[in-house]
Amino acid sequence: MSGLNKVVTSYADALAGLEDGMTVIAGGFGLCGIPENLIKEIKHKGTKNLTVVSNNCGTTEYGLGILLLDKQIKKMIASYVGENANFEAQMMSGELEVELTPQGTLAEKMRAAGAGIPAFYTATGYGTDVAIGKEVKEFNGRHYILEKSITGDFAIVKAWKADTFGNLVFRKTARNFNPLAATAGKITVVEVEEIVEPGQLDPDEIHTPGIYVDRLIQGSFEKRIEQLTTRPSSK
Amino acid sequence: MALSREQLAQRVAQELKDGYYVNLGIGIPTLVANYIPEGIEVMLQSENGLLGMGPFPTMEEVDADLINAGKQTVTMARGAALFDSAESFAMIRGGHVDLTVLGAFEVDTQGNIASYMIPGKLIKGMGGAMDLVAGADNIIVTMTHASKHGESKLLTECTLPLTGKGCIKKVLTDLAFIEIKEGKFHLLERAPGVSIEEIIKLTAGELVVPEHVPEMMFNE
């Protein structure tokens, strides 16, 4: 790494400085657009007592779910945790603390953190358990609750392409939480399928400017599909 | 006869209007996409970041980077747009979606909805449902009228943790189409061959029954 070049060549370097007890924000929706190799590296490092912020916690065998196997996660902030038997078991037994957060609120918590906004009001969750302990304010006759933004010690992100300056392009619905996570990390680490030279990406088509990115690594991806659903070819 | 899942989807599809942007929840709501009336154009929003969801892909078209909110592989319709999750929920929270269809465990006469957890039994999480019910004005809840054991899911007060407060105005069950207003359920339509008595018996919250309750109409 020198100048604006963010490229690192090993996953160990990509996650250097990640310590027990830190907060990690991860992009991805289900298993789509997850930083799968960075997650594997966290498992390999054996970092413990993590607070993980992500829409989901992977499946029993893949994605963030693999960090549950060795109980590396202390607290999970997520919107949807179905499809993971270990998750439910550890949550029920009290080993895993869980803060269920509405999906739009979760995205906005990341976006706000990255944009320097410490908290925001939303109608989402008013009058539900999500609102417990939160300030309520009325605007134009409607009730809103105050939600705080979330900053990660690390953000781990998956993009499709990048240039060496860390300008990012995402692909299809693998974008999801990734651009938001990228803005919300004190250290943002991105893994991509392809790295090109600066100037090779059309500036009009960059989704996340490199200013948000600290480290960049090229990986190869399995891209598991959770629900393979097809229609017949001839019709 | 109680409506099948397909008939529930067909009845919801009758509420679609030309030019609508629609968010369909997981389960029965997803089936609505199969019954979009001919001659109207609608765009389906998938909250993971797609406006313009197309049919399921053929085996050759499958793309791991293109899924819907139920994590199923999908395709994009002509004129589709892709975006991140914050943008997606700006559309939803900002009231830009014309119709939202989602499932529930319970609804009550105050327009409250419970759909995301059963304490001690089932914890799934709310996903985007809390944002959807808070942001949309036009919501249809689809669910079975009663549990397998005959316990009503249309209550005076929800017993499960709420997904949203005072936000539901229309409920389509396998037995009836119901409107919620002024703290009461109002029976609008009944499933073909289902008696008003049966609906009354399986509705725990106060139900207003007008003199004439038409049967739902289906083409075919």
Side-chain angles (χ1 to χ4, degrees):
Chain A
M1 272 192 294
S2 68
L4 296 171
N5 185 346
K6 313 284 171 66
V7 179
V8 297
T9 49
S10 77
Y11 277 91
D13 287 344
L15 288 177
L18 179 69
E19 290 168 12
D20 291 358
M22 282 187 165
T23 296
V24 177
I25 299 182
F29 184 96
L31 297 181
C32 182
I34 57 168
E36 45 186 89
N37 302 298
L38 290 167
I39 294 166
K40 285 178 193 163
E41 178 61 20
I42 295 175
K43 182 171 177 65
H44 176 71
K45 273 172 82 85
T47 318
K48 293 222 190 294
N49 289 319
L50 293 170
T51 294
V52 175
V53 186
S54 172
N55 189 56
N56 315 89
C57 194
T59 59
T60 310
E61 319 83 34
Y62 211 66
L64 290 167
I66 64 172
L67 303 182
L68 291 173
L69 300 174
D70 299 329
K71 302 186 178 163
Q72 291 176 265
I73 303 177
K74 179 189 65 178
K75 180 177 178 179
M76 187 74 209
I77 301 177
S79 88
Y80 188 84
V81 295
E83 288 116 40
N84 190 328
N86 291 332
F87 192 99
E88 202 152 341
Q90 288 184 27
M91 182 169 171
M92 295 283 192
S93 71
E95 285 172 283
L96 178 66
E97 195 187 332
V98 179
E99 195 174 311
L100 286 175
T101 302
Q103 195 174 136
T105 297
L106 188 64
E108 196 64 14
K109 278 170 176 267
M110 295 181 197
R111 197 194 70 82
I117 297 169
F120 56 92
Y121 287 101
T122 177
T124 302
Y126 170 73
T128 75
D129 288 353
V130 165
I132 292 170
K134 290 172 188 164
E135 185 193 320
V136 176
K137 194 159 173 167
E138 205 177 311
F139 296 94
N140 305 318
R142 225 184 144 195
H143 292 97
Y144 296 80
I145 60 174
L146 186 66
E147 290 280 7
K148 290 180 183 159
S149 64
I150 302 179
T151 302
D153 295 299
F154 274 76
I156 56 172
V157 169
K158 157 74 174 52
W160 178 37
K161 278 197 233 180
D163 64 22
T164 57
F165 288 177
N167 290 309
L168 308 179
V169 180
F170 301 91
R171 188 170 176 275
K172 299 186 178 169
T173 57
R175 191 182 322 183
N176 57 63
F177 283 81
N178 280 299
L180 312 160
T183 68
K186 287 180 197 159
I187 297 175
T188 291
V189 186
V190 183
E191 60 173 331
V192 298
E193 296 173 43
E194 187 185 354
I195 299 178
V196 299
E197 288 304 314
Q200 290 188 293
L201 296 176
D202 178 352
D204 259 338
E205 290 184 354
I206 288 165
H207 296 129
T208 294
I211 192 168
Y212 297 108
V213 175
D214 298 290
R215 300 173 193 168
L216 184 65
I217 187 163
Q218 187 169 325
S220 58
F221 298 85
E222 203 178 318
K223 294 197 187 180
R224 286 198 195 176
I225 292 172
E226 257 178 271
Q227 306 278 345
L228 179 66
T229 319
T230 57
R231 68 174 200 278
S233 288
S234 57
K235 207 182 169 183
Chain B
M1 268 286 282
L3 300 185
S4 65
R5 287 164 60 85
E6 286 71 24
Q7 284 175 312
L8 277 160
Q10 281 180 51
R11 180 61 192 86
V12 172
Q14 292 170 15
E15 300 294 304
L16 298 174
K17 294 201 171 79
D18 199 21
Y20 260 19
Y21 291 93
V22 183
N23 182 289
L24 300 175
I26 295 162
I28 291 167
T30 309
L31 299 175
V32 175
N34 300 334
Y35 300 102
I36 296 167
E38 268 186 49
I40 75 164
E41 275 187 332
V42 298
M43 271 285 195
L44 302 178
Q45 204 254 18
S46 188
E47 65 261 27
N48 55 317
L50 170 61
L51 188 62
M53 186 168 48
F56 294 128
T58 62
M59 208 54 207
E60 299 74 49
E61 289 171 335
V62 166
D63 183 342
D65 287 341
L66 189 57
I67 63 167
N68 66 15
K71 288 136 193 158
Q72 296 169 308
T73 45
V74 291
T75 57
M76 292 186 280
R78 188 173 61 99
L82 295 156
F83 35 84
D84 67 49
S85 300
E87 176 92 55
S88 181
F89 282 91
M91 292 173 197
I92 289 166
R93 213 187 294 106
H96 304 280
V97 176
D98 297 300
L99 173 66
T100 290
V101 185
L102 78 171
F105 299 141
E106 297 174 345
V107 293
D108 70 26
T109 51
Q110 302 307 310
N112 298 326
I113 172 172
S115 66
Y116 79 100
M117 75 176 293
I118 302 172
K121 260 195 194 163
L122 172 79
I123 302 159
K124 294 195 305 180
M126 66 290 282
M130 280 195 182
D131 305 277
L132 282 160
V133 299
D137 194 41
N138 191 11
I139 304 168
I140 300 175
V141 170
T142 59
M143 57 185 217
T144 53
H145 207 96
S147 73
K148 286 182 198 118
H149 313 292
E151 292 154 339
S152 179
K153 298 181 179 181
L154 287 91
L155 310 172
T156 304
E157 196 176 350
C158 288
T159 61
L160 298 169
L162 295 184
T163 307
K165 201 172 162 68
C167 48
I168 304 303
K169 293 176 198 144
K170 286 178 192 161
V171 184
L172 177 69
T173 73
D174 52 343
L175 304 182
F177 195 25
I178 283 172
E179 188 180 6
I180 305 173
K181 61 179 180 188
E182 291 149 5
K184 289 171 190 155
F185 294 124
H186 295 256
L187 185 56
L188 299 181
E189 296 173 20
R190 58 200 167 92
V194 171
S195 71
I196 290 174
E197 290 67 35
E198 189 179 355
I199 295 167
I200 292 172
K201 197 179 80 181
L202 290 172
T203 307
E206 189 177 348
L207 179 69
V208 177
V209 182
E211 207 166 316
H212 177 63
V213 181
E215 283 192 357
M216 291 174 205
M217 304 280 285
F218 295 96
N219 311 323
E220 278 165 288

